[in-house]
Amino acid sequence: MKLIVAVALLLSLSLAVSSTAEFDFFYLVQQWPGSFCDTKQGCCFPSTGKPAADFGIHGLWPNYAACRPVAAADAFDIVASQKKKCWPQYCNDLNPLRILEITDLLKTLDRDWPSLSCKNGGRGGMDFWSYEWRKHGTCAGMDQHGYFEAALAIKARHNLTAILAGAGIVPSDTETYFLSSIRDAIAEATGFKVNLECNRAVSGEAQLFQVYQCVDREGKKLVDCTLPMNNSKCTDRPCLGSRH
């Protein structure tokens, strides 16, 4: 009996250690639905219906301030072939997302964290949220409810769609905007620098796709984004497409 108890205790301690990770900050990543849908792969609306013309959460991602060497045995790291690791991931596969843990958040998640990927076949967001929890949330040092609540709270506190509209940056299939104007509008409203990511529309034009806001390790306060990002798909004046 003592041996069994000891083994169980060691297993419990092992799982607790594996569910935490060292990291320096979070990226709260929000994507524009029109830019997601106006690509060659297209999109599929969730069972809850067509999302509003509003930025939707992609994820809350723990990140390192500087990339680290990757051990050869790290088979799960998507950048292992590049010999560097820029974020922790898949910290505890034995802790899947349980819907009962986030029941009170489901309505807000459907609205603010919708899935547009056709991989989910329009079944709704649970597959998407489960993936984000498994890959990123298990490394965040939070329980399941706390992880999703933190992302939703930051989005609610800093409404990117309203911030950009206040600066005259609104959805359009023809109008383009300076990247610097987009960055400046968000920085002025929130007090912190962000990173921007573009993708390409079916027509080939650059369009604003995702906004990366940096968040402290507690998942509560915005901080400046200081790491450079590869904006190879951006031009000086991308559009903010309205087709979705």
Side-chain angles (χ1 to χ4, degrees), residues 46-48 96-103 106 109-110 113-115 120 122-134 144 148:
S47 56
T48 51
L97 180 61
R98 298 177 296 276
I99 193 169
L100 290 178
E101 297 291 333
I102 57 171
T103 299
L106 290 178
L109 286 168
D110 279 333
W113 199 325
S115 172
N120 291 337
R123 292 191 299 272
M126 193 62 190
D127 286 349
F128 185 26
W129 307 327
S130 295
Y131 172 78
E132 289 296 314
W133 166 255
R134 178 172 168 258
Q144 295 182 5
F148 289 97

Side-chain angles (χ1 to χ4, degrees), residues 124-214:
M126 193 62 190
D127 286 349
F128 185 26
W129 307 327
S130 295
Y131 172 78
E132 289 296 314
W133 166 255
R134 178 172 168 258
K135 182 175 181 180
H136 302 288
T138 55
C139 303
M142 305 178 187
D143 61 24
Q144 295 182 5
H145 189 277
Y147 174 73
F148 289 97
E149 186 177 44
L152 292 169
I154 298 168
K155 172 177 167 51
R157 196 155 57 242
H158 306 284
N159 187 313
L160 295 179
T161 306
I163 288 171
L164 293 180
I169 301 170
V170 295
S172 173
D173 293 330
T174 57
E175 187 66 33
T176 60
Y177 306 96
F178 286 111
L179 279 176
S180 58
S181 298
I182 298 172
R183 288 195 190 95
D184 291 348
I186 298 174
E188 182 176 348
T190 66
F192 299 96
K193 299 175 183 177
V194 299
N195 286 332
L196 305 177
E197 180 185 2
C198 301
N199 65 3
R200 293 285 175 174
V202 173
S203 62
E205 64 186 348
Q207 52 187 4
L208 179 65
F209 176 41
Q210 298 194 130
V211 175
Y212 289 65
Q213 292 173 286
C214 293

